[in-house]
């Protein structure tokens, strides 16, 4: 998986203290993007999913967030990562520039696996005109925090 | 004394560090200057007349620091956990007439402010209430009864349930207003030394009665709401007492209030959290509120007692002095040599504390009227105005503190306790040795000697500046404007939250005169109460005694946006009127121009637990 960075203990990418994995590459190119250096799909470095899982084990906190860039660019590695995290009993959030509907319309097996296993999807592009610093774990008000198939 | 020098330092070109030893005083104000002048003169007096040659030498050679030396000559003591409930119940005297027991929560909390103010000028340190909820709950109940009888007298047809509900609503809103007024008072009464707000701390969280719970909830609400324009209140320092079976587990009666406390900390940096279940605190706990440990906001803890009941209430620290461990390491040739030098200065430190104690004992009750004639200090009811205070002073603690364990280990082993297991072990050995020496001193002098993890905002810069002159700039030791507080992992070293808590926890058990661990978080916690709760639970798991979470709380003065603001407000673009609240020595400070160089540099050096590259 191509990874830009890993933040061991983040408090701003979902509830609690979370390990955050920033993936490389993003096709959305939102105006006002928090991290344009993430756009290049050849950026960052190649890391085995297994190595990421080890890092997550060591951190010891309950939450994992996959952010980007656009994590779904690498949907099969993402699916593998999300499943591994779930089997460790972690709570998993995935951020994406796509909407849930767009992801579902892809009819891609790996994408569907992510949606089946992740706890929360934060979806939608970042819209600068809808930017609101007061939002919980979101950048702009069009983005949604979607609790996937859970109670 | 060089009066002319003093004139130039204080009055001609006020130097930030000279006028700004203490972050809560405006050193440039007339009163700030006057305080500075009188403090220099009184220090000179005590050095000339009261201190022994050995103590003076240890101070002048930068091995020992005598805290609040400007108050030495007055014979004052440091601080006290005030028995608020008792004062409110029986009424008290502030000098002009008697104040009767209050009839409702508003007057009770107004009196609580007056008590703090009255006692502040008796002592030189902070003032605290050890069980704010328990002590005020009866007045919440009185408010309810008053409201109920008022409503009953109205010519309206209400049934009992309606009456009770209305009375309760009125009571809740009266309690909220009382809390709001108390917080406002705490941030605006410039009653300390004429120019400072008193250093006020309140402990609460364990009262499970209906009335106590209302008080805690409304206090948290008022704290969250902030001051008039929504500013973060700097005082009182709030300490939420965590206790398993009361507010920690899912079915505990006050777990909702614990969660609320976590949420409010995420927005306002308070409350901090103390842990009654930590073994060294649990050993005093007998199920009664009086046996719950209470902390002063800065970290001071008073529990063990050779001369009476083992409780925090009605007691406090008498005086404390701090050892410069770093210098001892710098002049020693080996670890053995370090211990030899350390022992020498522990001896001197003990002597100096006893010397000051003996002088404090010659003072008379009438010099500290409120403290000794109103039942504030434990045992003082037996004193007459003209009596020397010796017998009751024994209730207090004499504490020796230390600073710069991290830099000391760097000198002795080449790494800090966060960098190697070897240094970690030696660090614990050194502090265990200090704790043992205090135990022996307590036996030998039959006094409450204890070991303090010194809170040292002015001091951290003073020691290092003098050591730089003598030893030059040594990488990782003297090359910063500050030494690391007590046993803390340096703010400039990047360790995970878990590691920091794990490394610091064992020192809490050793430093019985007070300890605190801070966890630094790099993002705003305003929306993440879950993260606060996880950190507090981690602290509990590691037997931390007292902990606090630091995260940036910035507020745009123009549009009111709160959170982490870099250069300019991301919403409205304001780049000047930004309020930045940070924590120093356990106290919050609103604007950075009241910081001295050491503290500014420390803030700059703080490593938040930030992104690590993929492979470290
Ligand atoms: S989806 Fe995210 S990473 Fe991609 S351009 Fe938009 S804001 Fe930037």
């Amino acid at each position: 998986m191509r990874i830009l960075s890993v933040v061991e203990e983040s408090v701003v990418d979902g509830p609690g203290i979370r390990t955050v994995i920033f993936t490389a590459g993003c096709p959305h190119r939102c105006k006002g993007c928090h991290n344009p250096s993430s756009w290049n799909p050849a950026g960052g470095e190649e890391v085995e999913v297994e190595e990421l899982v080890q890092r997550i084990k060591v951190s010891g906190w309950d939450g994992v967030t996959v952010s980007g860039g656009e994590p779904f660019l690498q949907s099969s590695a993402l699916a593998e990562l999300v499943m591994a995290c779930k089997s460790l009993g972690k709570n998993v959030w995935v951020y994406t520039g796509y909407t849930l509907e767009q992801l579902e319309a892809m009819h891609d097996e790996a994408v569907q696996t992510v949606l089946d296993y992740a706890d929360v999807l934060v979806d939608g592009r970042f819209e600068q005109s809808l930017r609101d610093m007061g939002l919980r774990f979101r950048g702009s008000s069009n983005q949604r925090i979607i609790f996937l198939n859970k109670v | 004394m060089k009066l002319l020098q003093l004139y130039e330092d204080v009055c001609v070109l006020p130097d930030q560090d000279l006028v700004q030893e203490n972050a809560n005083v405006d050193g440039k104000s007339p009163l700030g200057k006057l305080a500075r002048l009188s403090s220099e003169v009184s220090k000179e007096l005590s050095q000339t007349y009261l201190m022994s040659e050995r103590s003076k030498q240890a101070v002048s050679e930068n091995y020992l620091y005598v805290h609040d030396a400007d108050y030495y000559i007055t014979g004052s003591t440091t601080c006290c956990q005030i028995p608020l409930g008792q004062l409110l119940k029986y009424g008290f005297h502030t000098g002009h007439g008697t104040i009767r027991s209050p009839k409702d929560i508003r007057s009770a909390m107004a009196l609580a402010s007056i008590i703090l103010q009255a006692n502040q000028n008796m002592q030189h340190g902070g003032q605290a209430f050890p069980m704010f909820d328990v002590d005020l709950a009866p007045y919440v109940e009185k408010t309810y009864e008053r409201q109920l009888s008022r409503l009953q007298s109205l010519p309206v047809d209400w049934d009992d349930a309606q009456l009770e509900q209305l009375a309760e609503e009125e009571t809740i809103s009266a309690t909220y207003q009382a809390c709001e007024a108390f917080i406002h008072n705490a941030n605006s009464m410039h009653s300390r030394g004429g120019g400072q707000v008193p250093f006020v701390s309140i402990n609460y969280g364990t009262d499970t009665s209906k009335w106590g719970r209302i008080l805690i909830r409304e206090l948290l609400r008022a704290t969250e709401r902030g001051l008039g324009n929504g500013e973060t209140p700097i005082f009182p320092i709030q300490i939420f007492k965590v206790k398993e079976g009361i507010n920690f587990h899912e079915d505990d009666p006050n777990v909702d209030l614990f969660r609320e406390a976590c949420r409010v900390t995420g927005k306002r940096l308070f409350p901090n959290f103390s842990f009654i279940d930590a073994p060294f605190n649990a050993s005093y706990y007998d199920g009664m509120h009086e046996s719950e440990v209470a902390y002063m906001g800065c970290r001071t803890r008073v529990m063990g007692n050779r001369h009476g009941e083992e409780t925090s209430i009605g007691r406090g620290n008498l005086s404390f002095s701090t050892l410069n461990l770093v210098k001892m390491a710098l002049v020693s040739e080996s670890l053995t040599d370090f211990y030899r030098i350390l022992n020498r200065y522990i001896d001197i430190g003990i002597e100096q504390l006893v010397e000051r104690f003996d002088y404090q004992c010659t003072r008379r009750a009438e010099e500290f009227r409120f403290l000794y004639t109103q039942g504030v200090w434990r045992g003082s009811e037996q004193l007459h105005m003209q009596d020397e205070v010796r017998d009751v002073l024994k209730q207090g603690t004499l504490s020796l503190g230390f600073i710069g364990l991290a830099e000391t280990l760097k000198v002795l082993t080449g790494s800090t306790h966060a960098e190697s297991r070897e240094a970690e072990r030696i660090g614990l050995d050194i502090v265990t040795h200090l704790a043992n020496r205090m135990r022996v001193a307590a036996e030998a002098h039959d006094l409450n000697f204890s070991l303090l993890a010194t809170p040292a905002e002015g001091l951290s810069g003073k020691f290092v500046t003098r050591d730089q002159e003598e030893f030059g700039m040594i990488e990782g030791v003297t090359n910063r404007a500050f030494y690391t507080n007590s046993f803390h992992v340096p703010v400039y070293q990047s360790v995970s939250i878990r590691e920091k808590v794990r490394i610091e926890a064992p020192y809490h058990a050793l430093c019985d005169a007070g300890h605190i661990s801070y966890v630094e978080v790099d993002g705003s916690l305003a929306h993440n109460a879950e993260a606060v709760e996880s950190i507090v639970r981690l602290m509990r798991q590691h037997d931390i005694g007292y902990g606090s979470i630091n995260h940036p709380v910035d507020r745009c003065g123009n549009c009111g946006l709160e959170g982490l603001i870099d250069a300019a407000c991301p919403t409205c673009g304001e780049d000047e009127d930004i309020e930045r609240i940070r924590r120093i020595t356990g106290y919050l400070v609103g604007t950075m121009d009241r910081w001295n160089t050491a503290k500014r540099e420390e803030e700059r050096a703080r490593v938040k637990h930030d992104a690590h590259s993929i492979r470290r």
Side-chain angles (χ1 to χ4, degrees):
Chain A
M1 207 171 189
R2 278 211 92 81
I3 298 298
L4 283 170
S5 66
V6 177
V7 174
E8 307 263 344
E9 295 173 324
S10 163
V11 295
V12 295
D13 300 285
I17 299 174
R18 315 179 72 85
T19 306
V20 187
I21 294 159
F22 289 97
T23 62
C26 184
H28 304 295
R29 298 174 187 249
C30 308
K31 191 158 166 277
C33 167
H34 63 109
N35 189 12
S37 66
S38 70
W39 294 354
N40 181 0
E45 52 187 306
E46 190 62 33
V47 180
E48 295 297 321
V49 169
E50 182 49 35
E51 190 181 334
L52 293 171
V53 173
Q54 282 309 319
R55 288 279 291 273
I56 289 160
K57 263 191 198 159
V58 171
S59 94
W61 299 100
D62 313 328
V64 175
T65 295
V66 189
S67 183
E70 173 53 64
F72 283 94
L73 270 191
Q74 309 176 61
S75 59
S76 47
L78 176 65
E80 205 185 313
L81 176 64
V82 169
M83 279 180 17
C85 290
K86 285 316 292 178
S87 65
L88 288 173
K90 304 289 175 186
N91 170 281
V92 179
W93 281 41
V94 180
Y95 280 74
T96 176
Y98 296 111
T99 60
L100 176 62
E101 292 74 15
Q102 287 171 329
L103 289 172
E104 279 169 341
M106 288 177 190
H107 299 292
D108 176 297
E109 199 182 323
V111 169
Q112 198 51 50
T113 307
V114 175
L115 298 179
D116 287 343
Y117 282 84
D119 294 87
V120 167
L121 186 77
V122 184
D123 80 341
R125 292 164 52 97
F126 171 70
E127 299 285 353
Q128 198 156 29
S129 60
L130 299 174
R131 170 184 182 137
D132 181 349
M133 284 275 294
L135 293 171
R136 193 177 194 232
F137 308 135
R138 289 175 296 158
S140 56
S141 60
N142 61 301
Q143 297 171 324
R144 301 174 296 179
I145 296 180
I146 302 169
F147 291 82
L148 297 160
N149 60 55
K150 306 282 147 50
V151 271
Chain B
M1 180 166 59
K2 297 148 234 112
L3 269 179
L4 182 62
Q5 185 63 48
L6 191 58
Y7 167 74
E8 285 184 350
D9 288 348
V10 180
C11 311
V12 180
L13 277 177
D15 171 296
Q16 184 78 12
D17 280 356
L18 284 174
V19 297
Q20 216 53 75
E21 251 185 71
N22 181 314
N24 277 301
V25 200
D26 178 1
K28 295 188 185 102
S29 72
L31 274 168
K33 285 181 192 155
L34 198 57
R36 177 77 198 162
L37 290 169
S38 69
S39 107
E40 287 303 321
V41 174
S42 66
K43 269 187 219 165
E44 186 77 21
L45 289 176
S46 53
Q47 277 180 15
T48 311
Y49 298 110
L50 301 175
M51 288 176 71
S52 69
E53 283 309 317
R54 252 162 73 97
S55 307
K56 267 192 283 191
Q57 196 180 350
V59 170
S60 74
E61 288 176 358
N62 209 33
Y63 286 109
L64 183 71
Y65 183 83
V66 176
H67 292 265
D68 302 297
D70 47 344
Y71 278 86
Y72 196 134
I73 197 94
T74 70
S76 61
T77 53
T78 313
C79 54
C80 186
Q81 292 280 356
I82 302 173
L84 175 63
Q86 183 189 315
L87 266 80
L88 291 179
K89 188 164 174 198
Y90 301 109
F92 58 91
H93 243 283
T94 54
H96 300 287
T98 308
I99 292 172
R100 277 176 303 163
S101 182
K103 300 270 184 299
D104 66 17
I105 188 62
R106 271 187 249 200
S107 36
M109 290 188 86
L111 292 183
S113 296
I114 291 173
I115 290 168
L116 291 169
Q117 195 167 357
N119 208 52
Q120 180 62 73
N121 290 319
M122 304 288 107
Q123 299 193 288
H124 54 252
Q127 295 299 320
F129 292 130
M131 39 182 197
F132 204 49
D133 44 358
V134 176
D135 285 343
L136 288 172
Y139 304 96
V140 179
E141 185 171 11
K142 280 189 178 162
T143 308
Y144 173 79
E145 281 157 9
R146 262 197 167 182
Q147 292 299 340
L148 196 60
S149 63
R150 187 183 63 86
L151 292 167
Q152 275 160 347
S153 72
L154 295 177
V156 193
D157 256 347
W158 280 317
D159 62 30
D160 281 359
Q162 277 174 313
L163 271 174
E164 280 164 21
Q165 195 199 334
L166 276 173
E168 192 170 321
E169 280 166 13
E170 294 284 326
T171 305
I172 289 172
S173 105
T175 306
Y176 175 79
Q177 283 167 34
C179 292
E180 196 176 44
F182 180 79
I183 292 171
H184 275 253
N185 276 335
N187 288 282
S188 56
M189 308 184 284
H190 284 121
S191 60
R192 185 177 198 256
Q196 273 184 55
V197 291
F199 286 12
V200 173
S201 313
I202 54 179
N203 294 261
Y204 61 86
T206 54
D207 190 337
T208 53
S209 75
K210 177 173 182 178
W211 313 112
R213 284 174 47 78
I214 290 178
L215 184 99
I216 299 169
R217 174 164 291 120
E218 297 312 305
L219 182 60
L220 288 168
R221 268 188 58 207
T223 305
E224 180 176 11
R225 165 74 180 68
L227 300 178
N229 288 323
E231 300 97 334
T232 293
I234 288 172
F235 287 111
I237 298 185
Q238 305 190 24
I239 303 152
F240 190 93
K241 300 185 201 176
V242 173
K243 175 80 192 84
E244 291 179 21
I246 292 185
N247 54 30
F248 196 62
H249 296 306
E250 221 43 69
D251 45 3
D252 289 349
N254 277 5
V255 73
D256 55 335
L257 298 175
F258 167 66
R259 293 244 154 79
E260 203 53 21
C262 290
R263 207 173 58 73
V264 173
T265 283
K267 289 189 79 168
R268 296 300 189 183
L269 293 145
F270 286 142
N272 296 340
F273 295 86
S274 68
F275 299 88
I276 297 172
D277 298 301
F280 46 89
N281 289 332
S283 62
Y284 295 103
Y285 184 70
D286 64 9
M288 303 295 288
H289 290 297
E290 288 74 10
S291 68
E292 296 167 354
V293 67
Y295 286 82
M296 302 291 308
C298 68
R299 81 192 62 188
T300 299
R301 168 187 177 277
V302 173
M303 280 310 278
N305 190 2
R306 307 178 65 85
H307 299 284
E309 216 178 306
E310 304 208 286
T311 168
S312 299
I313 303 172
R315 305 176 59 215
N317 174 258
L318 301 177
S319 80
F320 64 105
S321 300
T322 291
L323 297 170
N324 181 356
L325 295 184
V326 190
K327 174 158 185 184
M328 294 177 208
L330 284 169
V331 298
S332 61
E333 282 158 9
S334 62
L335 190 57
T336 325
D337 196 36
F338 170 77
Y339 272 103
R340 185 184 59 80
I341 298 167
L342 176 60
N343 274 327
R344 175 177 149 79
Y345 288 102
I346 295 174
D347 287 341
I348 297 176
I350 292 168
E351 259 173 56
Q352 184 272 320
L353 288 170
V354 171
E355 215 169 272
R356 188 170 182 174
F357 174 73
D358 281 335
Y359 177 68
Q360 289 168 321
C361 285
T362 64
R363 302 291 94 199
R364 294 170 196 280
E366 62 182 351
E367 294 171 56
F368 313 91
R369 278 178 192 246
F370 192 78
L371 183 62
Y372 294 127
T373 65
Q374 303 303 312
V376 175
W377 189 263
R378 188 162 284 270
S380 58
E381 54 288 345
Q382 66 191 56
L383 290 177
H384 298 289
M385 290 287 241
Q386 307 294 324
D387 286 350
E388 287 192 358
V389 296
R390 182 177 299 270
D391 284 345
V392 302
L393 274 199
K394 287 183 180 165
Q395 298 286 338
T397 57
L398 298 173
S399 307
L400 198 57
F402 60 95
I403 196 163
L405 183 67
E407 288 80 10
T408 302
L409 291 167
K410 190 91 186 169
V411 177
L412 294 174
T413 73
S415 44
T416 73
H417 47 332
E419 292 170 328
S420 87
R421 289 281 165 154
E422 167 75 352
E424 200 183 332
R425 187 183 60 74
I426 294 176
L428 277 169
D429 282 350
I430 293 171
V431 178
T432 305
H433 178 72
L434 280 158
N436 289 339
R437 290 289 322 262
M438 291 303 104
R439 220 160 288 142
V440 173
E443 285 290 331
H445 296 274
D446 196 20
L447 289 169
N448 294 316
F449 270 95
S450 52
L451 180 65
L452 178 69
T454 299
E457 59 152 331
L459 177 57
S460 64
K462 272 185 228 162
F463 272 162
V464 77
T465 312
R466 297 267 320 271
D467 288 349
Q468 279 168 357
E469 285 162 17
E470 196 174 340
F471 305 98
M473 291 288 195
I474 304 170
E475 176 68 29
V477 182
T478 57
N479 66 334
R480 291 192 167 80
F482 57 90
Y483 283 150
T484 298
N485 251 294
S486 60
F487 56 73
H488 286 172
V489 169
V491 291
Y492 48 83
Q493 288 191 327
S494 167
V495 292
S496 70
I497 294 172
R498 281 180 182 279
E499 260 310 89
K500 181 165 164 56
V501 169
R502 184 191 66 76
I503 293 170
E504 292 186 357
Y507 295 98
H508 284 234
L510 294 169
C511 300
D512 56 344
H515 41 244
I516 189 167
S517 279
Y518 295 111
V519 164
E520 302 277 337
V521 166
D522 65 341
S524 165
L525 290 171
H527 296 298
N528 202 343
E530 295 92 339
V532 174
E533 187 175 331
S534 304
I535 295 170
V536 175
R537 291 190 182 277
L538 179 74
M539 288 176 170
R540 168 67 206 101
Q541 190 191 330
H542 284 270
D543 289 334
I544 290 278
Y546 178 38
S548 174
I549 299 164
N550 284 334
H551 53 101
V553 174
D554 297 335
R555 186 172 170 282
C556 173
N558 183 40
C559 72
L561 177 91
E562 288 180 347
L564 179 54
I565 302 176
D566 284 338
C569 173
T571 302
C572 74
E574 176 66 41
D575 57 2
E576 273 178 16
D577 187 9
I578 307 282
E579 177 195 60
R580 297 180 191 280
I581 301 281
R582 297 293 182 274
R583 199 187 306 264
I584 306 184
T585 332
Y587 295 102
L588 296 187
V589 176
T591 55
M592 298 225 237
D593 52 286
R594 290 212 187 160
W595 290 31
N596 61 36
T597 311
K599 276 292 149 186
R600 282 170 193 241
E601 193 165 310
E602 186 188 307
E603 164 65 17
R604 230 174 295 133
R606 280 186 196 189
V607 186
K608 314 288 158 50
H609 301 275
D610 210 353
H612 299 302
S613 66
I614 304 299
R615 291 192 181 82
R616 277 188 286 189

